[in-house]
Every structure is written in structure tokens, then in C-alpha cells.
mmCIF file of all heavy atoms in Angstrom:
data_model
loop_
_atom_site.group_PDB
_atom_site.id
_atom_site.type_symbol
_atom_site.label_atom_id
_atom_site.label_comp_id
_atom_site.label_asym_id
_atom_site.label_seq_id
_atom_site.Cartn_x
_atom_site.Cartn_y
_atom_site.Cartn_z
ATOM 1 N N VAL A 21 -8.209 -7.426 -5.852
ATOM 2 C CA VAL A 21 -8.791 -8.063 -7.043
ATOM 3 C C VAL A 21 -8.424 -7.247 -8.277
ATOM 4 O O VAL A 21 -8.032 -7.796 -9.312
ATOM 5 C CB VAL A 21 -10.324 -8.192 -6.902
ATOM 6 C CG1 VAL A 21 -10.967 -8.670 -8.192
ATOM 7 C CG2 VAL A 21 -10.678 -9.106 -5.743
ATOM 8 N N LEU A 22 -8.511 -5.940 -8.163
ATOM 9 C CA LEU A 22 -8.178 -5.053 -9.273
ATOM 10 C C LEU A 22 -6.723 -5.243 -9.694
ATOM 11 O O LEU A 22 -6.416 -5.351 -10.884
ATOM 12 C CB LEU A 22 -8.425 -3.614 -8.838
ATOM 13 C CG LEU A 22 -8.668 -2.588 -9.908
ATOM 14 C CD1 LEU A 22 -9.917 -2.909 -10.697
ATOM 15 C CD2 LEU A 22 -8.799 -1.223 -9.288
ATOM 16 N N ARG A 23 -5.824 -5.299 -8.721
ATOM 17 C CA ARG A 23 -4.400 -5.503 -9.032
ATOM 18 C C ARG A 23 -4.192 -6.827 -9.757
ATOM 19 O O ARG A 23 -3.419 -6.904 -10.710
ATOM 20 C CB ARG A 23 -3.566 -5.495 -7.755
ATOM 21 C CG ARG A 23 -3.357 -4.153 -7.164
ATOM 22 C CD ARG A 23 -2.418 -4.259 -5.975
ATOM 23 N NE ARG A 23 -2.443 -3.057 -5.190
ATOM 24 C CZ ARG A 23 -2.606 -3.021 -3.885
ATOM 25 N NH1 ARG A 23 -2.756 -4.117 -3.180
ATOM 26 N NH2 ARG A 23 -2.614 -1.882 -3.249
ATOM 27 N N ASN A 24 -4.854 -7.846 -9.272
ATOM 28 C CA ASN A 24 -4.757 -9.155 -9.908
ATOM 29 C C ASN A 24 -5.154 -9.087 -11.375
ATOM 30 O O ASN A 24 -4.509 -9.677 -12.235
ATOM 31 C CB ASN A 24 -5.670 -10.134 -9.164
ATOM 32 C CG ASN A 24 -4.978 -11.396 -8.794
ATOM 33 O OD1 ASN A 24 -3.898 -11.687 -9.263
ATOM 34 N ND2 ASN A 24 -5.623 -12.162 -7.935
ATOM 35 N N LEU A 25 -6.233 -8.388 -11.659
ATOM 36 C CA LEU A 25 -6.755 -8.288 -13.021
ATOM 37 C C LEU A 25 -5.828 -7.539 -13.971
ATOM 38 O O LEU A 25 -5.822 -7.811 -15.171
ATOM 39 C CB LEU A 25 -8.132 -7.618 -13.018
ATOM 40 C CG LEU A 25 -9.251 -8.424 -12.376
ATOM 41 C CD1 LEU A 25 -10.502 -7.565 -12.214
ATOM 42 C CD2 LEU A 25 -9.556 -9.670 -13.209
ATOM 43 N N VAL A 26 -5.046 -6.610 -13.446
ATOM 44 C CA VAL A 26 -4.132 -5.849 -14.310
ATOM 45 C C VAL A 26 -2.702 -6.385 -14.249
ATOM 46 O O VAL A 26 -1.784 -5.780 -14.790
ATOM 47 C CB VAL A 26 -4.168 -4.329 -14.006
ATOM 48 C CG1 VAL A 26 -5.538 -3.755 -14.299
ATOM 49 C CG2 VAL A 26 -3.715 -4.019 -12.594
ATOM 50 N N GLY A 27 -2.509 -7.521 -13.576
ATOM 51 C CA GLY A 27 -1.204 -8.178 -13.565
ATOM 52 C C GLY A 27 -0.231 -7.697 -12.507
ATOM 53 O O GLY A 27 0.965 -7.954 -12.602
ATOM 54 N N LEU A 28 -0.732 -7.022 -11.492
ATOM 55 C CA LEU A 28 0.127 -6.570 -10.392
ATOM 56 C C LEU A 28 0.043 -7.553 -9.227
ATOM 57 O O LEU A 28 -0.947 -8.265 -9.098
ATOM 58 C CB LEU A 28 -0.327 -5.194 -9.901
ATOM 59 C CG LEU A 28 -0.158 -4.022 -10.857
ATOM 60 C CD1 LEU A 28 -0.832 -2.783 -10.294
ATOM 61 C CD2 LEU A 28 1.312 -3.751 -11.114
ATOM 62 N N PRO A 29 1.060 -7.568 -8.355
ATOM 63 C CA PRO A 29 0.956 -8.388 -7.144
ATOM 64 C C PRO A 29 -0.225 -7.927 -6.298
ATOM 65 O O PRO A 29 -0.575 -6.739 -6.304
ATOM 66 C CB PRO A 29 2.274 -8.133 -6.412
ATOM 67 C CG PRO A 29 3.183 -7.505 -7.399
ATOM 68 C CD PRO A 29 2.327 -6.864 -8.440
ATOM 69 N N GLU A 30 -0.811 -8.846 -5.567
ATOM 70 C CA GLU A 30 -1.999 -8.528 -4.772
ATOM 71 C C GLU A 30 -1.719 -7.507 -3.679
ATOM 72 O O GLU A 30 -2.554 -6.668 -3.379
ATOM 73 C CB GLU A 30 -2.541 -9.821 -4.153
ATOM 74 C CG GLU A 30 -3.891 -9.663 -3.532
ATOM 75 C CD GLU A 30 -4.466 -10.997 -3.095
ATOM 76 O OE1 GLU A 30 -4.877 -11.782 -3.954
ATOM 77 O OE2 GLU A 30 -4.507 -11.212 -1.866
ATOM 78 N N ASP A 31 -0.546 -7.568 -3.070
ATOM 79 C CA ASP A 31 -0.209 -6.662 -1.968
ATOM 80 C C ASP A 31 0.781 -5.591 -2.416
ATOM 81 O O ASP A 31 1.555 -5.788 -3.347
ATOM 82 C CB ASP A 31 0.381 -7.437 -0.794
ATOM 83 C CG ASP A 31 -0.644 -8.337 -0.130
ATOM 84 O OD1 ASP A 31 -1.764 -7.860 0.108
ATOM 85 O OD2 ASP A 31 -0.329 -9.501 0.137
ATOM 86 N N HIS A 32 0.745 -4.482 -1.730
ATOM 87 C CA HIS A 32 1.619 -3.337 -2.005
ATOM 88 C C HIS A 32 2.050 -2.780 -0.649
ATOM 89 O O HIS A 32 1.250 -2.729 0.284
ATOM 90 C CB HIS A 32 0.819 -2.295 -2.788
ATOM 91 C CG HIS A 32 1.627 -1.190 -3.375
ATOM 92 N ND1 HIS A 32 2.300 -0.270 -2.616
ATOM 93 C CD2 HIS A 32 1.852 -0.854 -4.666
ATOM 94 C CE1 HIS A 32 2.907 0.593 -3.419
ATOM 95 N NE2 HIS A 32 2.642 0.256 -4.670
ATOM 96 N N ASP A 33 3.296 -2.360 -0.537
ATOM 97 C CA ASP A 33 3.771 -1.761 0.725
ATOM 98 C C ASP A 33 2.864 -0.632 1.182
ATOM 99 O O ASP A 33 2.658 -0.427 2.374
ATOM 100 C CB ASP A 33 5.189 -1.197 0.567
ATOM 101 C CG ASP A 33 6.262 -2.257 0.654
ATOM 102 O OD1 ASP A 33 5.961 -3.373 1.135
ATOM 103 O OD2 ASP A 33 7.399 -1.974 0.241
ATOM 104 N N ALA A 34 2.320 0.095 0.229
ATOM 105 C CA ALA A 34 1.498 1.265 0.551
ATOM 106 C C ALA A 34 0.183 0.891 1.234
ATOM 107 O O ALA A 34 -0.435 1.744 1.864
ATOM 108 C CB ALA A 34 1.217 2.070 -0.716
ATOM 109 N N ASP A 35 -0.234 -0.373 1.147
ATOM 110 C CA ASP A 35 -1.473 -0.789 1.818
ATOM 111 C C ASP A 35 -1.366 -0.638 3.330
ATOM 112 O O ASP A 35 -2.353 -0.395 4.009
ATOM 113 C CB ASP A 35 -1.805 -2.263 1.518
ATOM 114 C CG ASP A 35 -2.180 -2.508 0.076
ATOM 115 O OD1 ASP A 35 -2.676 -1.572 -0.587
ATOM 116 O OD2 ASP A 35 -1.970 -3.643 -0.388
ATOM 117 N N ARG A 36 -0.197 -0.818 3.841
ATOM 118 C CA ARG A 36 0.010 -0.812 5.294
ATOM 119 C C ARG A 36 0.799 0.423 5.738
ATOM 120 O O ARG A 36 1.713 0.352 6.541
ATOM 121 C CB ARG A 36 0.738 -2.078 5.709
ATOM 122 C CG ARG A 36 0.012 -3.329 5.273
ATOM 123 C CD ARG A 36 -0.548 -4.010 6.449
ATOM 124 N NE ARG A 36 -1.271 -5.207 6.024
ATOM 125 C CZ ARG A 36 -2.462 -5.501 6.452
ATOM 126 N NH1 ARG A 36 -3.050 -4.719 7.318
ATOM 127 N NH2 ARG A 36 -3.078 -6.579 6.050
ATOM 128 N N TYR A 37 0.426 1.568 5.199
ATOM 129 C CA TYR A 37 1.097 2.833 5.501
ATOM 130 C C TYR A 37 1.049 3.198 6.983
ATOM 131 O O TYR A 37 1.806 4.032 7.445
ATOM 132 C CB TYR A 37 0.475 3.979 4.687
ATOM 133 C CG TYR A 37 -0.976 4.214 5.030
ATOM 134 C CD1 TYR A 37 -1.338 5.054 6.069
ATOM 135 C CD2 TYR A 37 -1.981 3.543 4.342
ATOM 136 C CE1 TYR A 37 -2.666 5.239 6.411
ATOM 137 C CE2 TYR A 37 -3.310 3.723 4.673
ATOM 138 C CZ TYR A 37 -3.650 4.567 5.697
ATOM 139 O OH TYR A 37 -4.966 4.731 6.041
ATOM 140 N N PHE A 38 0.175 2.554 7.737
ATOM 141 C CA PHE A 38 -0.005 2.881 9.157
ATOM 142 C C PHE A 38 0.915 2.081 10.070
ATOM 143 O O PHE A 38 0.917 2.288 11.274
ATOM 144 C CB PHE A 38 -1.468 2.644 9.566
ATOM 145 C CG PHE A 38 -1.992 1.306 9.121
ATOM 146 C CD1 PHE A 38 -1.762 0.175 9.862
ATOM 147 C CD2 PHE A 38 -2.689 1.193 7.932
ATOM 148 C CE1 PHE A 38 -2.217 -1.060 9.445
ATOM 149 C CE2 PHE A 38 -3.157 -0.040 7.506
ATOM 150 C CZ PHE A 38 -2.920 -1.170 8.259
ATOM 151 N N ASN A 39 1.695 1.146 9.527
ATOM 152 C CA ASN A 39 2.605 0.341 10.344
ATOM 153 C C ASN A 39 3.979 1.000 10.444
ATOM 154 O O ASN A 39 4.595 1.297 9.417
ATOM 155 C CB ASN A 39 2.797 -1.053 9.730
ATOM 156 C CG ASN A 39 1.617 -1.950 9.945
ATOM 157 O OD1 ASN A 39 0.793 -1.709 10.813
ATOM 158 N ND2 ASN A 39 1.523 -3.007 9.145
ATOM 159 N N PRO A 40 4.476 1.212 11.665
ATOM 160 C CA PRO A 40 5.844 1.739 11.804
ATOM 161 C C PRO A 40 6.818 0.798 11.096
ATOM 162 O O PRO A 40 6.650 -0.408 11.089
ATOM 163 C CB PRO A 40 6.083 1.729 13.316
ATOM 164 C CG PRO A 40 4.714 1.728 13.915
ATOM 165 C CD PRO A 40 3.841 0.972 12.955
ATOM 166 N N GLY A 41 7.820 1.367 10.461
ATOM 167 C CA GLY A 41 8.787 0.561 9.730
ATOM 168 C C GLY A 41 8.431 0.423 8.259
ATOM 169 O O GLY A 41 9.276 0.046 7.452
ATOM 170 N N ASN A 42 7.204 0.708 7.900
ATOM 171 C CA ASN A 42 6.785 0.659 6.506
ATOM 172 C C ASN A 42 7.340 1.896 5.792
ATOM 173 O O ASN A 42 7.337 2.984 6.358
ATOM 174 C CB ASN A 42 5.248 0.641 6.438
ATOM 175 C CG ASN A 42 4.729 0.487 5.033
ATOM 176 O OD1 ASN A 42 4.968 1.334 4.176
ATOM 177 N ND2 ASN A 42 4.008 -0.576 4.798
ATOM 178 N N PRO A 43 7.821 1.741 4.556
ATOM 179 C CA PRO A 43 8.355 2.909 3.846
ATOM 180 C C PRO A 43 7.335 4.042 3.676
ATOM 181 O O PRO A 43 7.719 5.196 3.487
ATOM 182 C CB PRO A 43 8.782 2.368 2.486
ATOM 183 C CG PRO A 43 8.474 0.930 2.454
ATOM 184 C CD PRO A 43 7.927 0.522 3.778
ATOM 185 N N TYR A 44 6.058 3.730 3.750
ATOM 186 C CA TYR A 44 5.010 4.746 3.615
ATOM 187 C C TYR A 44 4.431 5.177 4.963
ATOM 188 O O TYR A 44 3.422 5.878 4.999
ATOM 189 C CB TYR A 44 3.871 4.228 2.732
ATOM 190 C CG TYR A 44 4.265 4.078 1.288
ATOM 191 C CD1 TYR A 44 4.672 2.856 0.779
ATOM 192 C CD2 TYR A 44 4.239 5.168 0.426
ATOM 193 C CE1 TYR A 44 5.039 2.722 -0.544
ATOM 194 C CE2 TYR A 44 4.603 5.048 -0.892
ATOM 195 C CZ TYR A 44 4.999 3.816 -1.375
ATOM 196 O OH TYR A 44 5.357 3.694 -2.694
ATOM 197 N N TYR A 45 5.057 4.787 6.049
ATOM 198 C CA TYR A 45 4.520 5.093 7.375
ATOM 199 C C TYR A 45 4.243 6.586 7.531
ATOM 200 O O TYR A 45 5.091 7.431 7.222
ATOM 201 C CB TYR A 45 5.481 4.626 8.465
ATOM 202 C CG TYR A 45 4.980 4.904 9.862
ATOM 203 C CD1 TYR A 45 3.844 4.270 10.332
ATOM 204 C CD2 TYR A 45 5.624 5.810 10.693
ATOM 205 C CE1 TYR A 45 3.367 4.519 11.607
ATOM 206 C CE2 TYR A 45 5.163 6.060 11.966
ATOM 207 C CZ TYR A 45 4.025 5.413 12.418
ATOM 208 O OH TYR A 45 3.543 5.661 13.673
ATOM 209 N N ALA A 46 3.035 6.896 7.993
ATOM 210 C CA ALA A 46 2.586 8.269 8.249
ATOM 211 C C ALA A 46 2.560 9.131 6.987
ATOM 212 O O ALA A 46 2.617 10.346 7.059
ATOM 213 C CB ALA A 46 3.446 8.926 9.330
ATOM 214 N N ARG A 47 2.487 8.477 5.836
ATOM 215 C CA ARG A 47 2.426 9.202 4.562
ATOM 216 C C ARG A 47 1.238 8.660 3.761
ATOM 217 O O ARG A 47 1.384 8.150 2.664
ATOM 218 C CB ARG A 47 3.725 9.009 3.793
ATOM 219 C CG ARG A 47 4.920 9.610 4.490
ATOM 220 C CD ARG A 47 6.252 9.320 3.783
ATOM 221 N NE ARG A 47 6.162 9.296 2.345
ATOM 222 C CZ ARG A 47 6.790 8.381 1.600
ATOM 223 N NH1 ARG A 47 7.509 7.433 2.148
ATOM 224 N NH2 ARG A 47 6.690 8.426 0.284
ATOM 225 N N GLU A 48 0.061 8.779 4.335
ATOM 226 C CA GLU A 48 -1.134 8.196 3.734
ATOM 227 C C GLU A 48 -1.386 8.684 2.312
ATOM 228 O O GLU A 48 -1.681 7.895 1.421
ATOM 229 C CB GLU A 48 -2.351 8.476 4.603
ATOM 230 C CG GLU A 48 -3.619 7.863 4.064
ATOM 231 C CD GLU A 48 -4.818 8.083 4.969
ATOM 232 O OE1 GLU A 48 -4.677 8.677 6.053
ATOM 233 O OE2 GLU A 48 -5.900 7.661 4.569
ATOM 234 N N SER A 49 -1.274 9.973 2.084
ATOM 235 C CA SER A 49 -1.570 10.486 0.740
ATOM 236 C C SER A 49 -0.533 10.001 -0.273
ATOM 237 O O SER A 49 -0.886 9.691 -1.422
ATOM 238 C CB SER A 49 -1.663 12.009 0.733
ATOM 239 O OG SER A 49 -0.470 12.584 1.179
ATOM 240 N N ASP A 50 0.739 9.890 0.119
ATOM 241 C CA ASP A 50 1.760 9.346 -0.780
ATOM 242 C C ASP A 50 1.487 7.873 -1.080
ATOM 243 O O ASP A 50 1.676 7.416 -2.213
ATOM 244 C CB ASP A 50 3.155 9.475 -0.165
ATOM 245 C CG ASP A 50 3.634 10.905 -0.063
ATOM 246 O OD1 ASP A 50 3.067 11.787 -0.755
ATOM 247 O OD2 ASP A 50 4.574 11.154 0.714
ATOM 248 N N ALA A 51 1.067 7.145 -0.062
ATOM 249 C CA ALA A 51 0.762 5.726 -0.240
ATOM 250 C C ALA A 51 -0.386 5.538 -1.231
ATOM 251 O O ALA A 51 -0.310 4.728 -2.155
ATOM 252 C CB ALA A 51 0.410 5.092 1.108
ATOM 253 N N PHE A 52 -1.433 6.301 -1.048
ATOM 254 C CA PHE A 52 -2.598 6.204 -1.918
ATOM 255 C C PHE A 52 -2.238 6.590 -3.352
ATOM 256 O O PHE A 52 -2.621 5.924 -4.314
ATOM 257 C CB PHE A 52 -3.717 7.079 -1.368
ATOM 258 C CG PHE A 52 -5.039 6.886 -2.034
ATOM 259 C CD1 PHE A 52 -5.478 5.635 -2.429
ATOM 260 C CD2 PHE A 52 -5.865 7.969 -2.261
ATOM 261 C CE1 PHE A 52 -6.708 5.461 -3.039
ATOM 262 C CE2 PHE A 52 -7.105 7.812 -2.862
ATOM 263 C CZ PHE A 52 -7.513 6.551 -3.260
#
């Protein structure tokens, strides 16, 4: 909702940092 309000897409790759294959995989602090 916050992203929507500031004009960003609702989803971000960093949301799913726990999925293998994600560019942020196993990098929780970088994702956040």
C-alpha cells in the first residue's frame, strides 16, 4: 500500500529474498 501511495510498483524482487533464484536470495538485510 505504501509503495502504491508513493508511485512505486506494488511488488519488489526484494520481497521474496527467501526464494532461490531471486537476485536477493539469502541476502535479507540487502533486500530490506
